[in-house]
Amino acid sequence: KAGVTQTPRYLIKTRGQQVTLSCSPISGHRSVSWYQQTPGQGLQFLFEYFSETQRNKGNFPGRFSGRQFSNSRSEMNVSTLELGDSALYLCASRQDGNTEAFFGQGTRLTVV
Amino acid sequence: GENVEQHPSTLSVQEGDSAVIKCTYSDSASNYFPWYKQELGKRPQLIIDIRSNVGEKKDQRIAVTLNKTAKHFSLHITETQPEDSAVYFCAAKDDYKLSFGAGTTVTVRA
């Protein structure tokens, strides 16, 4: 079956702009989590959605937001972009509970 | 919230030797501990996981141990091969959140 798909793969934005990233989970997976990956910082948890509800949120400013649709697809939005937002943004989907999280290939965001 | 610490940050081993990565977690409610491998330019992929009711799990050259009392778990790779070179992440899950360590860059020298 198809894996987790993230679009777009690459983005270049200027400071102050806003951006929306998309994640399509594996069919049947209702949980979608978002992570920010930067060199030396590992995978920083942004938020997790399940059945269109945000169940958990990491320690990121309010400029980072997300949502999930009825088909489990999720979007992440970052407003008023800063240079420090440059990173690889990964989403992961899983069935609920203690099951494997499958990652997408990520969206590489560069803020100039 | 959960805090996962991972050591070492880099590890260089001779091909054929063993590699050990250690992680500690803070939340005693965490009950699921996966390990992910990320090769350069690729997505993280699960290599092994362990649940809190199990103390050890092995899959070919890879093994994971869990000490719930001490809140630490470890990844052991035996007979390392060049294809084991990658970044390895440990993680701990409490409720709905999977928290990751900062990663260990493993280099296997031929």
Side-chain angles (χ1 to χ4, degrees), chain B residues 7-90:
Chain B
H7 300 280
S9 58
T10 61
L11 181 60
S12 180
V13 296
Q14 189 71 36
E15 183 177 356
D17 287 351
S18 295
V20 180
I21 303 170
K22 298 182 179 182
C23 289
T24 59
Y25 62 99
S26 60
D27 190 347
S28 56
S30 289
N31 54 17
Y32 175 63
F33 307 90
W35 287 84
Y36 282 81
K37 174 183 180 182
Q38 187 177 28
E39 298 176 358
L40 192 62
K42 296 189 176 181
R43 71 189 79 189
Q45 291 193 300
L46 181 76
I47 54 172
I48 194 167
D49 58 11
I50 190 167
R51 289 166 175 77
S52 58
N53 58 345
V54 176
E56 185 174 355
K57 183 177 179 180
K58 187 174 182 180
D59 183 4
Q60 298 183 333
R61 297 186 297 108
I62 295 173
V64 59
T65 59
L66 171 65
N67 183 327
K68 285 185 60 181
T69 303
K71 294 183 192 168
H72 66 70
F73 55 115
S74 301
L75 177 72
H76 304 252
I77 306 174
T78 59
E79 301 172 20
T80 53
Q81 300 169 5
E83 54 264 37
D84 294 329
S85 293
V87 180
Y88 292 80
F89 294 97
C90 64

Side-chain angles (χ1 to χ4, degrees), chain A residues 35 37 98 101 103 105, chain B residues 36 38 43 51 93 96 98:
Chain A
Y35 295 87
Q37 186 173 28
N98 293 336
F103 283 88
Q105 289 194 303
Chain B
Y36 282 81
Q38 187 177 28
R43 71 189 79 189
R51 289 166 175 77
K93 180 176 168 289
Y96 313 117
L98 194 59

Side-chain angles (χ1 to χ4, degrees), chain A residues 20 29 36 48 64 66 84 96 101-104 112:
Chain A
T20 299
H29 287 190
Q36 181 193 66
E48 191 250 0
F64 291 82
D96 205 13
F102 293 84
F103 283 88
V112 298

